[in-house]
Amino acid sequence: MSTESPPRKRQRNDDNNETIIQSESTTTTTTTATTTATTAVDEKLYSRQLYVMGHEAQRRMMKSHVLVVGLSGLGCEIAKNCCLAGVSTMTLVDPSPTNSFDLGSNFYLSEANNMDSTSRAELCREKLAELNRYVDVRVKQVSLGDATEIKKMIPNLSCLVITVPLSRPSLVELNETCRACKCVFIYTLTCSVFGEVFCDFGPKFTVFDTDGENPATSQIESIVCSCPAAVKVLEDQGRHGMETGDYVTFSRVKGVDGKLNTPGTEYQITVTGPYTFELDGVDFSMCEHPATQGYITQVKKPVEISCRSYADCMLDHKDEEFMLTDFAKMDRPKLLHLGFNALHSFREKNQRSPEPGNKEDIDKMLEIAKKMDKDGILTDDNGSKTRILKHLASGSKSTLSPMCAALGGIVGQEVLKACTGKFTPIKGFLYLDADECLPDDILPQDEVTPTGTSRYDSQIAVFGKEAQKKIESLNYFLVGAGAIGCEMLKNWALMGVGCGENGKIHITDMDRIEKSNLSRQFLFRDSDIGKFKSSAGKAAAVQMNKDMKIEEYQEKVCPETENIFGDDFYDNLDGVCTALDNVDARLYMDQRCLFYTLPMLESGTLGTKGNTQIVVPHVTENYGATRDPPEKSIPVCTLKNFPSLIQHTLQWARDYFEGTFKQSAEDVNSYLTKSDTFVEELKSQQNTKVETVSAIRKTLVDERPMSFDDCIVWARLKFEELFNNQIKQLLYNFPEDQVTSTGAKFWSGSKRCPKPLLFKIGHVCQDARMENHFNFIVAAANLRAKMYGIEGNTDKDYIKKVLTNVMVPDFSPKEGVKIAANDEEAKAQANGGAGVNNVDSEFDEILSTLPKTSEMGDYKLSPIEFDKDIDEHMLFVTACSNLRAINYGIPTEDTHRSRAIAGKIIPAIATTTAMVTGLICLELYKLVGTAKKQLKIDAYKNGFANLAIPFMTLSEPTAPATTKSMLKGKEWNWTAWDCLLMDTGDVTLKEFFQYFETKYNLEISMLSHGVSILYSFFANKKKVAERMKMPMSKIIKSITKKDFPTNKLFLTLEVIANDKETDEEVELPFIKFRFRP
């Protein structure tokens, strides 16, 4: 359950489902029936987003009203992100017609709209409305020259976003009205590779959750009976992660005379160490028994913030009102603040923006900036600062897709903060730039003069016509067509990537579209559900830019598909862009990029956190050069007998699901369809074969159901076995008062003493408020029926009626049952066990009782693969986990939270996705090349951001590590990007040795291909002599017994060699041997 407080900020039209912004000239007045606070959230649609925002914040968003003024690229990006997120109403204001500069950033405008009289707002409305059926998108016809009409709408708004230049008096007037009406005011612009954001959340704004992180939780090791009460947490569970002044609650506390077991009571703490804290003002000195177990949960408190007005900030800005985005550019925010103010002044004086490359306009704006420079920002300038201002002026008409995407993600999240009170807002200004993309000097005017009709006019005005041709000629491989893949395709369509005569985009994704994808994978619609993502993504991208050449695949990138994505494929690429959701695939693509020396654009998100990494051959380290530590696994003993966290019980429930509904069915099918080979395989599995064949007999004979009633009976008996009998046996082996050899209590610390459960149909658990007893029966019985091809039934009355007639046998704990108290004992038991003869005879005996496969005909079971997005699966896993949690006194969780933990769901939201793809596409500009400028490593930027805090940092990538070797007496410092390229054709091994010796003056002592040794100094002389006459490819084929795919051009060889002069071993990179032309 969400722990967010109820909304305290403005709530408009709370009592009316028709939350329409009242206006006579509103073009669209569609009624939205999904905007009340009590309306259920569509968990299927907002699935991944709910793990970012939470249910309460999502409901507040569903009541919010946003007005976006300006529908060029930036305005459309912001509106898109807010519509995907699920605001109630999105009103668009922009009477301007489309111009060619819009086409490079607004993905809903086309060449056909250029200079059409229809407004940009009208052209975008319908397509924005398609993004989310719960959002009412309407257009308001208002002149931007007069703020009066917009002012009338503000009292009904949650947030006003202005994305086009308005007069300073209008901005001040609108901002003051917003402050008076408790409406958040955001002003944002983008020009070329520069962006500006100003946020005013008003004089008083309540933030209900400052960072969006889950509340810190810990387990109690002890609470001393003292004044103040001193708490120590279990160190093996990690630090408590709290600060002095935080509040906590307690649950399931064992000790301190029950004083901490009042639900919901909050205690303020004073931290005394990473594992200790005191309870302020709490006196437990009179308690008889200290606490030895229990759970601690941090309470997140609302925070009130205050922002200064736009007028005040413009008159006297403060350092803390500039959010820094790049620590290598400490002075950049103030410089860009000056530049944007000078540009604003130029526009007001001339009623237009400076023309691209126009020296006179650029100089005029520069003079304005110098006159406005009261802080002396431009003094002692070596030319670098004026260069920035010149480029800002020259590109002021341009709106680039990557910058709009990056800024649209950042601002979109600020809008969601305004609507929900979730996360900490930007207080003041944020400036973002990527000036490294730009040439040192302004390009000649004829090189940057727009055509007036091309969708690439914005890019031409910034980078020139020559650079645009390079972009169109790119051949890129996009791996993944999910959230990041969709945004990337959109950016590339607007940039023109792969749209030239020689350009092409290859995209692969083996997944199909599901409903939960639609809230962030914006290229897809309801009608696309079930289609391959790569196919639907291609169709949507080509619709944005008909010149885009895309080849789609539905293949996984891995060694098994190298017949498709092989040497000839990578040989024709300019680069790779990963849009993946797992590390293994990233590492594989990283190795491909290393081998073919291709740049890689890498990005990823986790809720409001996002990162980008630019990988440049020979300049930066590769992706796999640094890795996160692996996740800690849960000890087997903890899972089986001693859980203490809900994560333990959920993993146990998932494992049980897999074993009961998938593995058992697969084993039965293997026995029935390939009996002889399956039995032979089992015989070799000495430690598990009896368990496996016993399970087959149970599934196929002893417990095989003939009707759904049998499935209900089975489920009821399983409940008894899992949550009563097994617990009784455990307590028989380890009684509650058991002590260890050292005299310590066995059931202490993280070992929680369990209690058997008595089955009660109507039982509701304390924390999650779920009917776990009955849910377990319903889900287990229906899954069992599905596995056997029996028709299921979820009728509660019917199931309850059958349950009343189930006879549950009495259980008595058995003597001699071995239960491991820790992992060491578990391993010893697994390696010991019964003697070989006993195991073999028991296996043979059980096997003989199985029905003959000839008697079973075509009979088969249906294995059930766990899917976190199937409610029936999650009903079982949640109920099973919660029942085990109740056994051990662990707080239970609802299905939503359980789905996240059991399914290892990665929280996702469209705003972060848009931001990271925008940032990484800015790096693509650098890879294409900057006119008259050779980029070094400090020009590239890796990025990390957390939009919740908010925080962003762009930093220089790490250079690749070097290895020092001596070749022919000269020092060679090589990196992971280097190899020894041998383009000799398919020579014999003897010719290979001669070439290597002549070129490098090295003597080979060992040569291998993968795990196959082709030559070694200690090998059989006769065999070596035979191989010396054979072509290299033939040697490898003779050893591996495999043919090479027709598209394979290179062989990877590893070598150990010694310098012929010194006889010292020389450390070398791999050999890239081209054996085919």
Side-chain angles (χ1 to χ4, degrees):
M1 296 290 287
S2 174
T3 57
E4 292 178 88
S5 305
R8 299 181 185 177
K9 58 186 176 62
R10 68 219 153 285
Q11 303 290 347
R12 302 299 173 193
N13 299 323
D14 288 3
D15 301 318
N16 189 344
N17 284 353
E18 298 183 359
T19 51
I20 297 174
I21 299 176
Q22 300 299 319
S23 170
E24 294 180 2
S25 55
T26 299
T27 304
T28 308
T29 57
T30 306
T31 299
T32 301
T34 56
T35 53
T36 63
T38 56
T39 300
V41 176
D42 188 338
E43 290 192 353
K44 291 290 186 185
L45 177 64
Y46 297 120
S47 169
R48 305 305 185 260
Q49 180 175 295
L50 285 170
Y51 296 112
V52 182
M53 301 301 296
H55 282 75
E56 289 303 317
Q58 187 66 39
R59 290 191 184 97
R60 291 197 286 270
M61 198 185 312
M62 290 162 63
K63 290 167 58 67
S64 64
H65 311 289
V66 179
L67 172 61
V68 175
V69 179
L71 265 294
S72 187
L74 180 55
C76 194
E77 281 281 355
I78 296 167
K80 176 257 292 180
N81 292 332
C82 295
C83 287
L84 290 170
V87 298
S88 177
T89 59
M90 170 61 65
T91 305
L92 312 174
V93 169
D94 191 343
S96 306
T98 304
N99 63 62
S100 64
F101 286 97
D102 298 327
L103 303 179
S105 58
N106 188 318
F107 39 91
Y108 290 147
L109 301 177
S110 66
E111 287 94 332
N113 304 132
N114 192 23
M115 300 312 293
D116 188 320
S117 60
T118 309
S119 72
R120 294 186 296 197
E122 286 284 5
L123 290 169
C124 294
R125 191 205 70 79
E126 185 177 345
K127 291 180 179 177
L128 285 168
E130 290 176 0
L131 293 174
N132 192 335
R133 62 190 178 90
Y134 295 110
V135 179
D136 182 10
V137 182
R138 75 269 310 272
V139 172
K140 182 75 162 68
Q141 302 296 350
V142 172
S143 170
L144 297 183
D146 183 5
T148 306
E149 286 300 313
I150 297 176
K151 277 178 61 179
K152 292 178 182 177
M153 304 169 69
I154 289 174
N156 289 315
L157 295 177
S158 307
C159 184
L160 169 64
V161 186
I162 299 169
T163 70
V164 289
L166 298 183
S167 69
R168 192 79 74 199
S170 293
L171 291 171
V172 170
E173 187 179 1
L174 292 172
N175 175 237
E176 292 300 332
T177 305
C178 285
R179 289 173 70 83
C181 296
K182 297 182 180 179
C183 169
V184 171
F185 173 87
I186 300 176
Y187 177 54
T188 179
L189 295 174
T190 176
C191 305
S192 177
V193 294
F194 306 99
E196 173 189 39
V197 179
F198 173 79
C199 296
D200 176 12
F201 278 67
K204 284 186 179 180
F205 183 84
T206 301
V207 178
F208 299 107
D209 184 349
T210 57
D211 58 13
E213 300 294 334
N214 289 325
T217 58
S218 297
Q219 291 186 62
I220 296 169
E221 179 178 299
S222 65
I223 299 180
V224 179
C225 298
S226 59
C227 181
V231 181
K232 186 175 190 299
V233 304
L234 286 172
E235 292 191 17
D236 60 0
Q237 302 291 331
R239 301 182 176 205
H240 54 63
M242 291 180 286
E243 300 175 355
T244 295
D246 282 351
Y247 286 80
V248 298
T249 60
F250 293 88
S251 63
R252 274 76 168 182
V253 176
K254 188 177 178 180
V256 291
D257 302 351
K259 291 182 180 295
L260 289 177
N261 284 328
T262 305
T265 304
E266 298 177 3
Y267 300 88
Q268 193 167 16
I269 68 169
T270 296
V271 172
T272 55
Y275 304 101
T276 57
F277 58 83
E278 294 175 342
L279 304 182
D280 296 351
V282 176
D283 184 358
F284 283 168
S285 59
M286 302 301 291
C287 292
E288 290 186 29
H289 305 288
T292 56
Q293 285 185 331
Y295 294 92
I296 307 163
T297 304
Q298 178 190 30
V299 179
K300 304 192 86 170
K301 293 285 190 179
V303 175
E304 194 172 89
I305 66 164
S306 177
C307 297
R308 293 204 303 154
S309 69
Y310 180 70
D312 288 345
C313 289
M314 291 302 295
L315 184 66
D316 178 28
H317 52 261
K318 299 178 180 178
D319 288 347
E320 61 267 24
E321 290 170 333
F322 289 102
M323 178 179 156
L324 200 60
T325 59
D326 188 335
F327 289 96
K329 303 176 179 178
M330 298 292 286
D331 59 348
R332 188 59 56 83
K334 289 186 177 180
L335 175 63
L336 290 177
H337 185 71
L338 174 65
F340 271 97
N341 284 340
L343 178 58
H344 192 282
S345 180
F346 180 98
R347 284 169 169 159
E348 288 201 330
K349 287 180 180 178
N350 298 277
Q351 295 300 300
R352 63 176 178 84
S353 296
E355 292 295 328
N358 187 299
K359 188 176 183 304
E360 186 179 346
D361 284 354
I362 293 169
D363 288 343
K364 282 182 180 178
M365 200 198 93
L366 198 57
E367 284 303 312
I368 294 171
K370 289 176 180 178
K371 290 178 182 177
M372 298 174 74
D373 185 19
K374 296 178 181 178
D375 296 331
I377 296 169
L378 298 177
T379 55
D380 301 323
D381 180 26
N382 59 4
S384 61
K385 294 178 180 178
T386 54
R387 169 184 169 270
I388 296 294
L389 298 184
K390 286 178 179 179
H391 277 294
L392 176 62
S394 182
S396 60
K397 295 177 81 170
S398 297
T399 53
L400 303 178
S401 171
M403 184 55 73
C404 289
L407 219 58
I410 295 168
V411 175
Q413 192 64 55
E414 295 306 301
V415 176
L416 302 190
K417 294 174 187 178
C419 297
T420 64
K422 180 102 174 184
F423 309 134
T424 303
I426 295 172
K427 294 172 63 176
F429 296 96
L430 176 145
Y431 289 97
L432 181 67
D433 77 274
D435 77 285
E436 301 86 1
C437 300
L438 302 169
D440 287 332
D441 300 316
I442 301 296
L443 295 175
Q445 192 166 2
D446 61 345
E447 177 66 12
V448 296
T449 300
T451 64
T453 57
S454 170
R455 73 176 310 122
Y456 309 123
D457 274 355
S458 278
Q459 282 185 162
I460 290 171
V462 176
F463 304 114
K465 297 171 184 175
E466 184 181 339
Q468 181 58 43
K469 288 178 183 177
K470 290 181 182 178
I471 292 172
E472 293 175 48
S473 297
L474 288 174
N475 282 268
Y476 255 76
F477 185 23
L478 178 58
V479 188
I484 290 176
C486 282
E487 288 285 340
M488 202 65 68
L489 281 173
K490 174 259 296 179
N491 290 345
W492 287 359
L494 297 171
M495 294 165 68
V497 176
C499 296
E501 185 179 346
N502 299 316
K504 194 172 189 179
I505 292 169
H506 302 266
I507 179 169
T508 188
D509 196 313
M510 57 193 295
D511 290 344
R512 294 180 184 269
I513 298 163
E514 300 173 356
K515 185 177 180 181
S516 63
N517 301 145
L518 303 183
S519 69
R520 64 200 188 282
Q521 299 176 17
F522 90 105
L523 294 184
F524 307 142
R525 302 290 178 270
D526 285 326
S527 58
D528 293 320
I529 292 174
K531 295 179 182 177
F532 280 110
K533 291 182 178 181
S534 57
S535 299
K538 171 186 174 179
V542 171
Q543 193 172 11
M544 290 180 184
N545 189 334
K546 59 180 174 46
D547 295 327
M548 211 168 187
K549 300 180 184 67
I550 302 177
E551 186 162 348
E552 60 174 285
Y553 308 83
Q554 289 84 41
E555 305 292 340
K556 184 179 180 181
V557 286
C558 59
E560 289 72 30
T561 57
E562 287 178 9
N563 61 319
I564 299 169
F565 309 121
D567 294 339
D568 58 340
F569 176 81
Y570 288 101
D571 229 18
N572 293 311
L573 293 180
D574 294 302
V576 169
C577 177
T578 53
L580 293 158
D581 60 0
N582 70 88
V583 173
D584 288 342
R586 285 183 169 103
L587 290 171
Y588 174 79
M589 289 310 303
D590 177 55
Q591 289 302 306
R592 296 291 83 196
C593 289
L594 277 174
F595 187 79
Y596 299 105
T597 57
L598 291 171
M600 187 167 92
L601 304 172
E602 158 60 17
S603 55
T605 69
L606 179 67
T608 57
K609 302 181 185 78
N611 69 279
T612 62
Q613 182 178 351
I614 174 68
V615 177
V616 186
H618 304 291
V619 177
T620 72
E621 68 177 7
N622 59 301
Y623 171 80
T626 53
R627 304 186 191 184
D628 294 330
E631 278 188 36
K632 285 185 178 179
S633 59
I634 303 171
V636 175
C637 248
T638 300
L639 285 178
K640 289 185 73 173
N641 298 309
F642 308 113
S644 60
L645 299 171
I646 197 68
Q647 287 85 349
H648 301 160
T649 63
L650 278 165
Q651 184 61 54
W652 179 85
R654 264 208 66 173
D655 291 346
Y656 186 80
F657 183 105
E658 295 282 350
T660 304
F661 303 116
K662 180 175 179 283
Q663 189 61 53
S664 62
E666 288 178 345
D667 287 343
V668 166
N669 290 346
S670 295
Y671 169 74
L672 294 175
T673 57
K674 45 182 181 180
S675 177
D676 292 342
T677 55
F678 180 66
V679 169
E680 287 304 313
E681 288 173 7
L682 275 184
K683 286 180 178 178
S684 65
Q685 299 167 13
Q686 196 69 14
N687 290 337
T688 59
K689 63 183 182 182
V690 171
E691 183 183 349
T692 302
V693 77
S694 298
I696 291 173
R697 185 170 69 181
K698 276 187 179 181
T699 307
L700 193 56
V701 181
D702 300 344
E703 298 178 355
R704 178 180 170 185
M706 295 294 118
S707 66
F708 184 67
D709 286 14
D710 290 344
C711 296
I712 297 174
V713 173
W714 174 86
R716 174 64 185 87
L717 295 178
K718 280 299 170 188
F719 178 99
E720 201 69 15
E721 176 189 332
L722 296 172
F723 309 114
N724 187 291
N725 300 353
Q726 288 184 6
I727 301 301
K728 286 179 178 177
Q729 183 68 55
L730 181 65
L731 289 172
Y732 180 80
N733 283 46
F734 304 108
E736 189 172 359
D737 57 358
Q738 175 101 358
V739 294
T740 66
S741 58
T742 62
K745 288 185 177 181
F746 179 84
W747 295 107
S748 61
S750 60
K751 278 193 172 79
R752 302 183 61 78
C753 187
K755 293 180 180 179
L757 294 187
L758 294 176
F759 181 75
K760 294 179 183 178
I761 287 180
H763 181 273
V764 176
C765 65
Q766 176 183 332
D767 305 286
R769 309 304 299 167
M770 295 185 69
E771 296 181 352
N772 297 298
H773 292 229
F774 189 67
N775 288 348
F776 177 86
I777 303 297
V778 173
N782 278 278
L783 287 166
R784 182 79 167 175
K786 186 175 183 179
M787 191 172 90
Y788 283 92
I790 298 170
E791 185 176 350
N793 189 336
T794 56
D795 183 86
K796 289 186 176 182
D797 293 334
Y798 178 80
I799 293 172
K800 288 177 181 177
K801 183 180 177 182
V802 175
L803 285 172
T804 58
N805 298 316
V806 177
M807 298 294 292
V808 180
D810 291 335
F811 174 80
S812 295
K814 298 179 179 64
E815 292 279 358
V817 175
K818 292 184 178 180
I819 299 176
N822 51 53
D823 274 7
E824 288 71 24
E825 287 186 18
K827 287 176 184 176
Q829 289 178 15
N831 294 329
V836 173
N837 292 335
N838 290 342
V839 169
D840 290 342
S841 60
E842 187 178 357
F843 172 78
D844 292 336
E845 182 184 343
I846 299 171
L847 187 65
S848 67
T849 64
L850 296 182
K852 305 299 181 186
T853 55
S854 57
E855 299 170 2
M856 301 302 294
D858 295 331
Y859 184 78
K860 273 188 182 182
L861 299 185
S862 300
I864 303 172
E865 185 98 35
F866 174 75
D867 187 336
K868 61 185 176 296
D869 291 317
I870 296 178
D871 290 340
E872 186 183 50
H873 296 191
M874 278 311 307
L875 182 67
F876 175 84
V877 169
T878 304
C880 193
S881 166
N882 282 344
L883 289 168
R884 189 162 175 82
I886 295 168
N887 274 142
Y888 286 87
I890 300 168
T892 55
E893 289 286 2
D894 63 11
T895 304
H896 178 72
R897 178 71 181 142
S898 297
R899 194 190 306 270
I901 299 170
K904 298 181 179 179
I905 289 176
I906 299 173
I909 192 166
T911 49
T912 317
T913 307
M915 176 194 67
V916 297
T917 55
L919 292 176
I920 203 66
C921 280
L922 289 170
E923 299 304 303
L924 179 56
Y925 284 138
K926 300 172 188 177
L927 291 175
V928 170
T930 301
K932 301 177 183 178
K933 183 177 178 182
Q934 187 65 42
L935 296 186
K936 297 180 181 178
I937 191 169
D938 60 354
Y940 297 100
K941 297 290 179 180
N942 289 341
F944 174 78
N946 184 349
L947 296 180
I949 304 179
F951 171 81
M952 175 183 281
T953 179
L954 302 175
S955 58
E956 179 183 318
T958 304
T962 60
T963 301
K964 180 181 175 181
S965 295
M966 298 296 293
L967 275 183
K968 288 189 170 182
K970 293 183 180 179
E971 185 177 307
W972 180 34
N973 291 300
W974 56 273
T975 73
W977 290 105
D978 291 303
C979 67
L980 299 176
L981 179 62
M982 292 186 63
D983 192 1
T984 57
D986 197 9
V987 295
T988 64
L989 182 59
K990 182 179 181 180
E991 290 169 331
F992 183 95
F993 273 48
Q994 289 172 345
Y995 176 90
F996 201 81
E997 185 176 326
T998 302
K999 183 161 187 178
Y1000 302 113
N1001 198 37
L1002 297 174
E1003 185 175 35
I1004 296 175
S1005 57
M1006 185 175 289
L1007 184 67
S1008 60
H1009 170 73
V1011 295
S1012 303
I1013 297 177
L1014 311 184
Y1015 167 83
S1016 68
F1017 69 92
F1018 53 79
N1020 180 280
K1021 303 298 182 185
K1022 184 178 178 182
K1023 186 174 285 186
V1024 169
E1026 288 175 0
R1027 289 182 179 176
M1028 282 293 176
K1029 301 172 185 178
M1030 295 169 62
M1032 296 293 289
S1033 64
K1034 192 173 180 180
I1035 297 171
I1036 294 172
K1037 280 194 279 187
S1038 69
I1039 297 172
T1040 62
K1041 311 299 182 188
K1042 293 179 182 178
D1043 287 326
F1044 298 120
T1046 55
N1047 65 344
K1048 192 168 186 65
L1049 307 176
F1050 298 96
L1051 296 173
T1052 306
L1053 306 174
E1054 291 79 32
V1055 64
I1056 297 176
N1058 293 63
D1059 189 293
K1060 291 193 70 178
E1061 301 295 331
T1062 64
D1063 199 35
E1064 290 185 4
E1065 186 177 313
V1066 180
E1067 194 169 355
L1068 297 170
F1070 69 92
I1071 299 172
K1072 187 175 180 182
F1073 176 65
R1074 184 159 192 156
F1075 72 105
R1076 283 176 177 160

